[in-house]
PDB file of all heavy atoms in Angstrom:
ATOM      1  N   VAL Y 281     -24.745  26.941 -11.568  1.00  0.00           N
ATOM      2  CA  VAL Y 281     -24.894  25.674 -12.352  1.00  0.00           C
ATOM      3  C   VAL Y 281     -23.741  24.669 -12.189  1.00  0.00           C
ATOM      4  O   VAL Y 281     -23.961  23.523 -11.854  1.00  0.00           O
ATOM      5  CB  VAL Y 281     -25.175  25.994 -13.788  1.00  0.00           C
ATOM      6  CG1 VAL Y 281     -25.175  24.818 -14.636  1.00  0.00           C
ATOM      7  CG2 VAL Y 281     -26.382  26.840 -13.944  1.00  0.00           C
ATOM      8  N   LYS Y 282     -22.585  25.232 -12.282  1.00  0.00           N
ATOM      9  CA  LYS Y 282     -21.364  24.396 -12.288  1.00  0.00           C
ATOM     10  C   LYS Y 282     -21.258  23.775 -10.883  1.00  0.00           C
ATOM     11  O   LYS Y 282     -20.827  22.573 -10.757  1.00  0.00           O
ATOM     12  CB  LYS Y 282     -20.132  25.240 -12.569  1.00  0.00           C
ATOM     13  CG  LYS Y 282     -20.001  25.738 -13.935  1.00  0.00           C
ATOM     14  CD  LYS Y 282     -19.886  24.559 -14.879  1.00  0.00           C
ATOM     15  CE  LYS Y 282     -20.102  25.011 -16.287  1.00  0.00           C
ATOM     16  NZ  LYS Y 282     -20.320  23.859 -17.136  1.00  0.00           N
ATOM     17  N   VAL Y 283     -21.498  24.608  -9.829  1.00  0.00           N
ATOM     18  CA  VAL Y 283     -21.373  24.079  -8.527  1.00  0.00           C
ATOM     19  C   VAL Y 283     -22.244  22.865  -8.177  1.00  0.00           C
ATOM     20  O   VAL Y 283     -21.840  21.966  -7.519  1.00  0.00           O
ATOM     21  CB  VAL Y 283     -21.488  25.215  -7.476  1.00  0.00           C
ATOM     22  CG1 VAL Y 283     -21.669  24.708  -6.060  1.00  0.00           C
ATOM     23  CG2 VAL Y 283     -20.350  26.102  -7.477  1.00  0.00           C
ATOM     24  N   SER Y 284     -23.468  23.054  -8.681  1.00  0.00           N
ATOM     25  CA  SER Y 284     -24.355  21.931  -8.426  1.00  0.00           C
ATOM     26  C   SER Y 284     -23.867  20.694  -9.148  1.00  0.00           C
ATOM     27  O   SER Y 284     -23.978  19.613  -8.506  1.00  0.00           O
ATOM     28  CB  SER Y 284     -25.816  22.270  -8.766  1.00  0.00           C
ATOM     29  OG  SER Y 284     -25.855  22.822 -10.045  1.00  0.00           O
ATOM     30  N   GLU Y 285     -23.356  20.844 -10.332  1.00  0.00           N
ATOM     31  CA  GLU Y 285     -22.859  19.597 -11.066  1.00  0.00           C
ATOM     32  C   GLU Y 285     -21.753  19.071 -10.238  1.00  0.00           C
ATOM     33  O   GLU Y 285     -21.674  17.753 -10.092  1.00  0.00           O
ATOM     34  CB  GLU Y 285     -22.443  19.999 -12.442  1.00  0.00           C
ATOM     35  CG  GLU Y 285     -23.453  20.220 -13.355  1.00  0.00           C
ATOM     36  CD  GLU Y 285     -22.849  20.795 -14.741  1.00  0.00           C
ATOM     37  OE1 GLU Y 285     -21.626  20.665 -14.910  1.00  0.00           O
ATOM     38  OE2 GLU Y 285     -23.577  21.284 -15.559  1.00  0.00           O
ATOM     39  N   ILE Y 286     -20.860  19.904  -9.819  1.00  0.00           N
ATOM     40  CA  ILE Y 286     -19.592  19.338  -9.128  1.00  0.00           C
ATOM     41  C   ILE Y 286     -19.999  18.789  -7.744  1.00  0.00           C
ATOM     42  O   ILE Y 286     -19.506  17.721  -7.439  1.00  0.00           O
ATOM     43  CB  ILE Y 286     -18.571  20.538  -8.920  1.00  0.00           C
ATOM     44  CG1 ILE Y 286     -18.101  21.045 -10.288  1.00  0.00           C
ATOM     45  CG2 ILE Y 286     -17.289  19.989  -8.193  1.00  0.00           C
ATOM     46  CD1 ILE Y 286     -17.174  22.179 -10.158  1.00  0.00           C
ATOM     47  N   THR Y 287     -20.949  19.342  -7.115  1.00  0.00           N
ATOM     48  CA  THR Y 287     -21.361  18.793  -5.778  1.00  0.00           C
ATOM     49  C   THR Y 287     -21.919  17.435  -5.943  1.00  0.00           C
ATOM     50  O   THR Y 287     -21.590  16.430  -5.174  1.00  0.00           O
ATOM     51  CB  THR Y 287     -22.294  19.751  -5.134  1.00  0.00           C
ATOM     52  OG1 THR Y 287     -21.870  21.078  -5.227  1.00  0.00           O
ATOM     53  CG2 THR Y 287     -22.563  19.375  -3.665  1.00  0.00           C
ATOM     54  N   GLU Y 288     -22.698  17.263  -7.100  1.00  0.00           N
ATOM     55  CA  GLU Y 288     -23.186  15.984  -7.356  1.00  0.00           C
ATOM     56  C   GLU Y 288     -22.172  14.843  -7.460  1.00  0.00           C
ATOM     57  O   GLU Y 288     -22.185  13.773  -7.052  1.00  0.00           O
ATOM     58  CB  GLU Y 288     -24.091  16.057  -8.642  1.00  0.00           C
ATOM     59  CG  GLU Y 288     -25.528  15.629  -8.334  1.00  0.00           C
ATOM     60  CD  GLU Y 288     -26.187  15.456  -9.728  1.00  0.00           C
ATOM     61  OE1 GLU Y 288     -25.890  14.371 -10.412  1.00  0.00           O
ATOM     62  OE2 GLU Y 288     -27.026  16.317 -10.097  1.00  0.00           O
ATOM     63  N   LEU Y 289     -21.156  15.295  -8.376  1.00  0.00           N
ATOM     64  CA  LEU Y 289     -20.071  14.505  -8.645  1.00  0.00           C
ATOM     65  C   LEU Y 289     -19.333  13.984  -7.245  1.00  0.00           C
ATOM     66  O   LEU Y 289     -18.980  12.916  -7.165  1.00  0.00           O
ATOM     67  CB  LEU Y 289     -19.052  15.157  -9.535  1.00  0.00           C
ATOM     68  CG  LEU Y 289     -17.896  14.331  -9.987  1.00  0.00           C
ATOM     69  CD1 LEU Y 289     -18.242  13.234 -10.894  1.00  0.00           C
ATOM     70  CD2 LEU Y 289     -16.733  15.200 -10.707  1.00  0.00           C
ATOM     71  N   ILE Y 290     -19.177  14.997  -6.469  1.00  0.00           N
ATOM     72  CA  ILE Y 290     -18.386  14.731  -5.195  1.00  0.00           C
ATOM     73  C   ILE Y 290     -19.264  13.681  -4.402  1.00  0.00           C
ATOM     74  O   ILE Y 290     -18.664  12.809  -3.824  1.00  0.00           O
ATOM     75  CB  ILE Y 290     -18.242  16.004  -4.360  1.00  0.00           C
ATOM     76  CG1 ILE Y 290     -17.276  16.994  -5.169  1.00  0.00           C
ATOM     77  CG2 ILE Y 290     -17.623  15.708  -3.046  1.00  0.00           C
ATOM     78  CD1 ILE Y 290     -16.935  18.153  -4.343  1.00  0.00           C
ATOM     79  N   SER Y 291     -20.659  14.030  -4.297  1.00  0.00           N
ATOM     80  CA  SER Y 291     -21.331  13.078  -3.463  1.00  0.00           C
ATOM     81  C   SER Y 291     -21.367  11.671  -4.060  1.00  0.00           C
ATOM     82  O   SER Y 291     -21.268  10.687  -3.274  1.00  0.00           O
ATOM     83  CB  SER Y 291     -22.824  13.558  -3.390  1.00  0.00           C
ATOM     84  OG  SER Y 291     -22.863  14.951  -3.552  1.00  0.00           O
ATOM     85  N   LYS Y 292     -21.395  11.506  -5.405  1.00  0.00           N
ATOM     86  CA  LYS Y 292     -21.347  10.270  -5.995  1.00  0.00           C
ATOM     87  C   LYS Y 292     -20.072   9.573  -5.632  1.00  0.00           C
ATOM     88  O   LYS Y 292     -20.053   8.365  -5.275  1.00  0.00           O
ATOM     89  CB  LYS Y 292     -21.555  10.346  -7.513  1.00  0.00           C
ATOM     90  CG  LYS Y 292     -22.560   9.510  -7.952  1.00  0.00           C
ATOM     91  CD  LYS Y 292     -22.601   9.431  -9.505  1.00  0.00           C
ATOM     92  CE  LYS Y 292     -22.230  10.418 -10.293  1.00  0.00           C
ATOM     93  NZ  LYS Y 292     -22.383  10.282 -11.753  1.00  0.00           N
ATOM     94  N   ALA Y 293     -18.976  10.340  -5.699  1.00  0.00           N
ATOM     95  CA  ALA Y 293     -17.652   9.683  -5.437  1.00  0.00           C
ATOM     96  C   ALA Y 293     -17.551   9.202  -4.016  1.00  0.00           C
ATOM     97  O   ALA Y 293     -17.060   8.129  -3.759  1.00  0.00           O
ATOM     98  CB  ALA Y 293     -16.560  10.712  -5.778  1.00  0.00           C
ATOM     99  N   LEU Y 294     -18.072  10.050  -3.155  1.00  0.00           N
ATOM    100  CA  LEU Y 294     -18.124   9.623  -1.599  1.00  0.00           C
ATOM    101  C   LEU Y 294     -18.938   8.435  -1.441  1.00  0.00           C
ATOM    102  O   LEU Y 294     -18.613   7.499  -0.699  1.00  0.00           O
ATOM    103  CB  LEU Y 294     -18.596  10.785  -0.825  1.00  0.00           C
ATOM    104  CG  LEU Y 294     -17.607  12.001  -0.530  1.00  0.00           C
ATOM    105  CD1 LEU Y 294     -18.380  13.157  -0.036  1.00  0.00           C
ATOM    106  CD2 LEU Y 294     -16.555  11.621   0.323  1.00  0.00           C
ATOM    107  N   GLU Y 295     -20.067   8.350  -2.161  1.00  0.00           N
ATOM    108  CA  GLU Y 295     -20.973   7.229  -1.970  1.00  0.00           C
ATOM    109  C   GLU Y 295     -20.150   5.920  -2.466  1.00  0.00           C
ATOM    110  O   GLU Y 295     -20.243   4.950  -1.731  1.00  0.00           O
ATOM    111  CB  GLU Y 295     -22.162   7.365  -2.881  1.00  0.00           C
ATOM    112  CG  GLU Y 295     -23.323   8.044  -2.225  1.00  0.00           C
ATOM    113  CD  GLU Y 295     -23.770   7.246  -0.995  1.00  0.00           C
ATOM    114  OE1 GLU Y 295     -24.034   6.070  -1.154  1.00  0.00           O
ATOM    115  OE2 GLU Y 295     -24.033   8.040  -0.070  1.00  0.00           O
ATOM    116  N   ASN Y 296     -19.571   6.066  -3.641  1.00  0.00           N
ATOM    117  CA  ASN Y 296     -18.877   4.897  -4.175  1.00  0.00           C
ATOM    118  C   ASN Y 296     -17.755   4.384  -3.313  1.00  0.00           C
ATOM    119  O   ASN Y 296     -17.623   3.194  -3.050  1.00  0.00           O
ATOM    120  CB  ASN Y 296     -18.291   5.290  -5.633  1.00  0.00           C
ATOM    121  CG  ASN Y 296     -19.287   5.291  -6.611  1.00  0.00           C
ATOM    122  OD1 ASN Y 296     -20.472   4.939  -6.375  1.00  0.00           O
ATOM    123  ND2 ASN Y 296     -18.984   5.930  -7.728  1.00  0.00           N
ATOM    124  N   ASP Y 297     -17.027   5.332  -2.644  1.00  0.00           N
ATOM    125  CA  ASP Y 297     -16.038   5.022  -1.825  1.00  0.00           C
ATOM    126  C   ASP Y 297     -16.481   4.250  -0.572  1.00  0.00           C
ATOM    127  O   ASP Y 297     -16.057   3.275  -0.050  1.00  0.00           O
ATOM    128  CB  ASP Y 297     -15.157   6.160  -1.428  1.00  0.00           C
ATOM    129  CG  ASP Y 297     -14.019   5.791  -0.485  1.00  0.00           C
ATOM    130  OD1 ASP Y 297     -13.135   5.294  -1.140  1.00  0.00           O
ATOM    131  OD2 ASP Y 297     -14.049   6.119   0.739  1.00  0.00           O
ATOM    132  N   LYS Y 298     -17.662   4.917  -0.093  1.00  0.00           N
ATOM    133  CA  LYS Y 298     -18.153   4.273   1.190  1.00  0.00           C
ATOM    134  C   LYS Y 298     -18.638   2.877   0.919  1.00  0.00           C
ATOM    135  O   LYS Y 298     -18.386   1.857   1.711  1.00  0.00           O
ATOM    136  CB  LYS Y 298     -19.441   5.117   1.720  1.00  0.00           C
ATOM    137  CG  LYS Y 298     -19.749   4.976   3.046  1.00  0.00           C
ATOM    138  CD  LYS Y 298     -20.359   6.122   3.735  1.00  0.00           C
ATOM    139  CE  LYS Y 298     -21.886   6.282   3.232  1.00  0.00           C
ATOM    140  NZ  LYS Y 298     -22.631   6.940   4.293  1.00  0.00           N
ATOM    141  N   LYS Y 299     -19.323   2.689  -0.336  1.00  0.00           N
ATOM    142  CA  LYS Y 299     -19.756   1.217  -0.572  1.00  0.00           C
ATOM    143  C   LYS Y 299     -18.583   0.408  -0.700  1.00  0.00           C
ATOM    144  O   LYS Y 299     -18.551  -0.797  -0.240  1.00  0.00           O
ATOM    145  CB  LYS Y 299     -20.520   1.287  -1.958  1.00  0.00           C
ATOM    146  CG  LYS Y 299     -21.982   1.151  -1.779  1.00  0.00           C
ATOM    147  CD  LYS Y 299     -22.746   0.903  -3.038  1.00  0.00           C
ATOM    148  CE  LYS Y 299     -22.513   1.986  -3.995  1.00  0.00           C
ATOM    149  NZ  LYS Y 299     -23.408   2.139  -5.030  1.00  0.00           N
ATOM    150  N   ALA Y 300     -17.541   0.823  -1.366  1.00  0.00           N
ATOM    151  CA  ALA Y 300     -16.367  -0.017  -1.537  1.00  0.00           C
ATOM    152  C   ALA Y 300     -15.650  -0.423  -0.199  1.00  0.00           C
ATOM    153  O   ALA Y 300     -15.267  -1.551  -0.048  1.00  0.00           O
ATOM    154  CB  ALA Y 300     -15.284   0.584  -2.484  1.00  0.00           C
ATOM    155  N   ARG Y 301     -15.618   0.497   0.716  1.00  0.00           N
ATOM    156  CA  ARG Y 301     -15.083   0.193   1.881  1.00  0.00           C
ATOM    157  C   ARG Y 301     -15.815  -0.789   2.770  1.00  0.00           C
ATOM    158  O   ARG Y 301     -15.315  -1.633   3.439  1.00  0.00           O
ATOM    159  CB  ARG Y 301     -14.865   1.559   2.748  1.00  0.00           C
ATOM    160  CG  ARG Y 301     -13.529   2.204   2.518  1.00  0.00           C
ATOM    161  CD  ARG Y 301     -13.425   3.386   3.184  1.00  0.00           C
ATOM    162  NE  ARG Y 301     -12.540   4.386   2.370  1.00  0.00           N
ATOM    163  CZ  ARG Y 301     -11.301   4.588   2.525  1.00  0.00           C
ATOM    164  NH1 ARG Y 301     -10.625   3.901   3.459  1.00  0.00           N
ATOM    165  NH2 ARG Y 301     -10.642   5.433   1.734  1.00  0.00           N
TER     166      ARG Y 301
END
Side-chain angles (χ1 to χ4, degrees):
Chain Y
V281 171
K282 294 293 166 198
V283 163
S284 52
E285 283 173 15
I286 297 175
T287 315
E288 240 193 74
L289 183 70
I290 295 180
S291 334
K292 229 186 337 177
L294 284 165
E295 271 300 314
N296 287 345
D297 181 73
K298 201 152 79 154
K299 256 193 294 195
R301 272 177 211 264

